Amino acid sequence: MHQPDYRVAETGIARMPWVRLHAARSYTDMASVFGWFDVRHTVNFSGVLLSQLEELECGAAHDAWFDLLRKRPEDYDVGERAWAVRNLFAVNRGRAVKPVPRYAQLFEKRGENPHEELFPQIARGFRATELRDLQVLFLLAWCGFAAEQRFPVVRALKKKGRGYSEEDRAALLEVHDACARGVLEAYRALARNHRIEVTVSPFDHPILPLIAGKPVHAPSDAVTALRRAGEIAHRVFGVRPRGVWPSEGSVSPEAVEAIADAGFAFAASDEGVLLKSIEAPRSAIYRPYEYHGVRLVFRDHEISDAIGFRYAQMGTLDAVKDFFRRVEAAPKDGVVFVMLDGENPWEAYDDNGRPFLEALSSSLSGGEGARVCAELIGDAAMRGDAVALKRLHAGSWIDASFRIWTGHAEKNRAWDAVVAARQALMDEEKRRETTETERAQRSEEKRICSRKEASGAGAGADEERWRAAWEHLYRAEGSDWFWWFGDDFDTPFADDFDALFRGHLRAAYRAAGLLVPEALERPIRSAVTRLAVRPPERMISPDMSRDIDGFYDWRGAGLAVAGAATGESGGTMALATRPFELLEFGFDATRLCFRLRTAAKEWRRFSLHMRLRIGASLVEIRLPDDAGPGGVEAHFARTAKWSVRCDDVGWRVGERGAFSVEVVLGEAVVSRFPATGEIELVRASVEKEREDWSA
């Protein structure tokens, strides 16, 4: 389990609420399931998540979103009303909004994906009673099944459905506060009763190979991140963890050396890394290995991702049967390592995953006669002999590479900023050491004075500032900022991640008494990334029936880069293996044509939902269901191609229209073109094209 540090460097106030919200849902739900069944689990925490949960436990956390959720809507100013209408649909819409009549009604009033600048205007149309309902419905959507079972008020307010009072909102906020205070104690109890083993990820969730090697080249930072994670876990749970899940399953020779130096006995990664390290069949993943004195195990990518991404779209019994079918296909003497995100998958499941988790846990706790037995990952990793690895491929769970965190110009700019800040701290540290040495060499008296100063309050304060400088740098080395830079993924909160990242770097400079580079006052993210749309340059002439397109068929077409639907909090999970990246579009003489490129092998599991707006008319097209006679031609083979005859939908030449396209898996929107709003176009004509070329 992991969330980055959402606390603003200068104030300590959480800019985003995801730790507190997950506390009322996935963190509490998972702890409850672990306690209900006689199945032992390995639970992994990042150090920075434990740090934030500690603050919640003692009541010291301050959260900007919850400050506004505690405020009466009647007292909201214009900006706060816009904030509520923009952000309080940040839940899984298919599971949490559409099935709830009042929530769906308010969402319809707001609109699908308004442009950012329209939110103040839209919010003016919401009455205070509607905003209060929105507050309560948002908080209810983030209450998991365990909170609903424990607190009768959650069930009562769900049943009430609308017309909520100030007392209702206050009662629900108390539920969230109680869940937040109780998370760590729930996992402590599980650990004391030997129901779970706790492992850790490096404190601020850095990609270890990128810290120990290129581009940072700081092995000591990697060791520090690991040791700090072990220390906070020991403080919280009273047991020093023996294993580590390196952030995003990322390993390399240098990373494993750091893991060994930090004192961990085992680590885990993904099967893709192993299969690029050795020449062996896939069955080789079902046993432990050893490298540089550290036991290594590799997760079954297919089974882990089936739980994380696919089983939510299946019936519970079918999903559980498929799980055991896959597990039983492994070698009889092998160990199937199943590891996945413990936070985000469940919002896509029915009832936040309760039916599936209960059915799976019940089957795994079947006793001695069971064909499949569950055990702790650490026990399996450390038992018996291990195969010595002569070579270890450097990679993560995503494509056995680090492409998500490096390569794009924005990511590289961010890494350059980290490297520059670290070098500035190193230079300042060296300068201070040199100054102290020169003082000591001048006279014995001055050396004694220097020691006295070092032991005084002034020296202590200076040491605290210096420690803070390095901690802010370590925060900036975390993986999450780099996940959202570039165009791999999109989120409506990308600017918040950018600001938090730069805030930590600025704080590092200031704590060290250094001037802050002016570049850190400007966003890393570029305007091009924010827009991620290029309009058509000319008319196109594609053949929609061919599997393979000609080179010139789509030349000059418009381009749109995929994004997550605004408010979809599951964007990270849904997009982590997103096969849809680029939509091309443009006019020929009679049609608006589309081509959706994909690298997926099983993309036919997805469907497409297109909204086409011409004037006051809205045309909704669902593919492949709406393909055929009636204006929509579609061809699905190596790519998805479809076209709409403009005359059939009443789109005249020269008239302005707009569209959006969503890629849907079950109830979940996994990609959207564009990320927010619509792409506007004016219907082109052959005559206008000729004028442009002859001008």
Side-chain angles (χ1 to χ4, degrees):
M1 296 179 180
H2 164 67
Q3 292 291 322
D5 194 343
Y6 295 114
R7 295 167 292 194
V8 176
E10 293 82 1
T11 66
I13 298 172
R15 181 166 177 153
M16 289 183 277
W18 312 121
V19 174
R20 187 184 287 267
L21 290 172
H22 276 296
R25 192 168 69 188
S26 53
Y27 300 155
T28 301
D29 285 350
M30 296 302 287
S32 297
V33 171
F34 297 159
W36 292 341
F37 296 93
D38 187 19
V39 181
R40 301 178 73 194
H41 293 81
T42 301
V43 182
N44 188 83
F45 291 94
S46 66
V48 71
L49 174 58
L50 290 176
S51 171
Q52 292 173 94
L53 289 173
E54 275 192 312
E55 280 198 352
L56 288 171
E57 183 176 44
C58 67
H62 194 177
D63 188 297
W65 280 44
F66 272 76
D67 286 349
L68 290 172
L69 285 165
R70 297 180 199 280
K71 192 171 182 178
R72 297 170 66 248
E74 289 86 351
D75 298 331
Y76 277 178
D77 60 26
V78 173
E80 291 166 342
R81 292 171 68 88
W83 169 86
V85 172
R86 179 187 190 270
N87 292 317
L88 296 186
F89 295 99
V91 295
N92 185 289
R93 291 178 188 164
R95 295 290 187 184
V97 175
K98 292 179 182 178
V100 182
R102 179 58 163 167
Y103 214 175
Q105 179 189 34
L106 295 173
F107 181 70
E108 184 177 356
K109 180 171 183 175
R110 187 202 80 160
E112 177 69 26
N113 279 288
H115 287 288
E116 190 71 27
E117 63 271 14
L118 294 179
F119 281 113
Q121 177 184 338
I122 294 170
R124 281 195 288 269
F126 278 72
R127 299 186 300 274
T129 54
E130 292 176 309
L131 292 175
R132 185 161 26 255
D133 280 1
L134 184 55
Q135 289 176 322
V136 172
L137 290 166
F138 174 75
L139 290 168
L140 282 173
W142 277 96
C143 286
F145 54 77
E148 184 172 349
Q149 179 172 307
R150 177 183 170 191
F151 299 99
V153 68
V154 175
R155 294 193 299 275
L157 292 179
K158 283 188 174 182
K159 185 176 181 180
K160 185 174 182 178
R162 63 187 301 147
Y164 296 112
S165 66
E166 282 294 298
E167 292 74 19
D168 293 334
R169 181 171 55 86
L172 197 53
L173 284 165
E174 288 181 7
V175 169
H176 276 263
D177 290 344
C179 290
R181 289 192 301 269
V183 167
L184 287 183
E185 183 52 37
Y187 285 94
R188 281 194 201 99
L190 291 167
R192 283 195 301 267
N193 294 322
H194 306 289
R195 305 301 292 274
I196 65 170
E197 175 178 23
V198 172
T199 59
V200 292
S201 291
F203 195 96
D204 290 297
H205 210 257
I207 303 298
L208 291 179
L210 303 183
I211 303 301
K214 293 181 180 179
V216 181
H217 296 289
S220 62
D221 287 10
V223 175
T224 297
L226 289 158
R227 285 179 176 163
R228 291 178 68 215
E231 288 165 2
I232 192 172
H234 186 218
R235 183 174 76 231
V236 169
F237 298 107
V239 177
R240 191 170 298 279
R242 56 178 174 165
V244 59
W245 167 257
S247 311
E248 308 292 356
S250 298
V251 293
S252 67
E254 296 83 1
V256 174
E257 185 174 346
I259 291 168
D261 290 347
F264 290 96
F266 75 89
S269 185
D270 185 78
E271 67 171 71
V273 172
L274 175 65
L275 296 178
K276 288 194 174 184
S277 302
I278 60 175
E279 294 184 5
R282 185 172 179 271
S283 58
I285 70 174
Y286 300 115
R287 63 167 304 155
Y289 291 81
E290 187 167 309
Y291 187 82
H292 199 80
V294 177
R295 289 290 180 101
L296 297 178
V297 296
F298 300 89
R299 71 172 196 145
D300 185 307
H301 187 104
E302 294 181 1
I303 297 177
S304 302
D305 278 11
I307 299 174
F309 302 113
R310 292 191 286 277
Y311 287 164
Q313 319 308 324
M314 298 171 62
T316 295
L317 293 180
D318 289 339
V320 173
K321 285 181 181 178
D322 185 77
F323 174 86
F324 282 101
R325 177 186 62 81
R326 292 172 181 269
V327 170
E328 291 170 3
K332 299 300 181 184
D333 59 346
V335 179
V336 180
F337 296 97
V338 180
M339 311 174 203
L340 65 144
D341 185 341
E343 300 162 323
N344 294 302
W346 317 120
E347 67 180 6
Y349 280 74
D350 181 40
D351 194 14
N352 289 312
R354 180 171 188 168
F356 171 78
L357 290 168
E358 288 186 342
L360 180 62
S361 299
S362 177
S363 298
L364 287 171
S365 59
E368 292 183 6
R371 290 176 295 177
V372 174
C373 299
E375 66 176 329
L376 297 176
I377 290 174
D379 289 349
M382 302 305 296
R383 185 179 58 247
D385 297 329
V387 177
L389 282 178
K390 296 180 180 179
R391 175 182 173 272
L392 179 64
H393 174 77
S396 73
W397 76 271
I398 301 179
D399 299 337
S401 74
F402 306 118
R403 66 174 179 82
I404 295 299
W405 303 276
T406 61
H408 189 281
E410 289 179 6
K411 301 176 195 286
N412 292 345
R413 283 202 300 275
W415 281 119
D416 288 345
V418 168
V419 171
R422 190 180 193 282
Q423 187 61 52
L425 294 188
M426 294 290 290
D427 291 345
E428 176 63 11
E429 190 171 59
K430 185 175 181 179
R431 186 194 67 78
R432 292 184 181 197
E433 290 175 353
T434 301
T435 300
E436 290 300 317
T437 300
E438 290 174 349
R439 286 177 181 173
Q441 289 175 343
R442 277 194 290 266
S443 71
E444 179 70 19
E445 180 181 348
K446 289 186 177 181
R447 184 166 65 249
I448 294 171
C449 291
S450 176
R451 285 175 179 171
K452 288 180 179 178
E453 290 171 4
S455 63
D462 184 69
E463 184 177 333
E464 179 64 22
R465 287 193 296 271
W466 194 244
R467 181 192 61 78
W470 279 100
E471 286 194 358
H472 284 297
L473 178 75
Y474 297 148
R475 291 286 193 273
E477 290 179 347
S479 68
D480 298 85
W481 329 116
F482 301 91
W483 179 283
W484 295 114
F485 288 136
D487 51 18
D488 293 292
F489 309 118
D490 193 30
T491 171
F493 308 107
D495 288 339
D496 295 283
F497 282 100
D498 189 334
L500 286 168
F501 168 76
R502 290 181 291 109
H504 284 301
L505 288 179
R506 289 197 301 267
Y509 280 98
R510 288 174 182 146
L514 300 171
L515 290 176
V516 177
E518 191 272 335
L520 292 178
E521 304 298 335
R522 300 189 301 272
I524 299 288
R525 298 180 69 240
S526 67
V528 172
T529 300
R530 294 191 184 95
L531 185 60
V533 174
R534 189 188 77 189
E537 298 173 354
R538 57 176 63 85
M539 294 185 76
I540 58 178
S541 56
D543 184 339
M544 306 300 285
S545 65
R546 292 192 309 192
D547 285 352
I548 301 176
D549 294 302
F551 177 77
Y552 293 100
D553 287 3
W554 294 86
R555 190 174 183 184
L559 300 175
V561 176
T566 300
E568 290 292 334
S569 61
T572 300
M573 286 295 296
L575 294 177
T577 56
R578 183 183 68 210
F580 302 95
E581 297 179 350
L582 193 67
L583 177 72
E584 296 165 283
F585 57 93
F587 292 99
D588 66 8
T590 61
R591 305 169 299 175
L592 177 59
C593 304
F594 299 88
R595 179 171 69 168
L596 183 58
R597 296 186 186 180
T598 175
K601 296 178 181 178
E602 301 179 37
W603 69 271
R604 291 172 183 80
R605 296 180 291 113
F606 297 82
S607 60
L608 305 176
H609 182 195
M610 175 178 169
R611 293 179 177 87
L612 180 60
R613 192 183 306 277
I614 302 108
S617 300
L618 176 64
V619 179
E620 296 197 48
I621 299 169
R622 297 181 184 275
L623 297 172
D625 294 350
D626 294 339
V632 182
E633 177 187 0
H635 182 75
F636 298 95
R638 296 188 179 184
T639 59
K641 296 189 291 186
W642 70 99
S643 65
V644 179
R645 287 195 289 273
C646 297
D647 290 345
D648 290 347
V649 295
W651 196 350
R652 297 186 297 271
V653 170
E655 187 177 16
R656 185 173 295 277
F659 73 87
S660 64
V661 176
E662 293 176 344
V663 182
V664 180
L665 176 61
E667 294 287 337
V669 177
V670 298
S671 292
R672 192 179 193 278
F673 304 89
T676 60
E678 299 171 319
I679 296 174
E680 296 186 355
L681 292 171
V682 174
R683 183 183 172 186
S685 67
V686 176
E687 289 75 16
K688 180 67 167 62
E689 181 89 350
R690 288 171 180 163
E691 290 175 9
D692 291 342
W693 278 99
S694 61

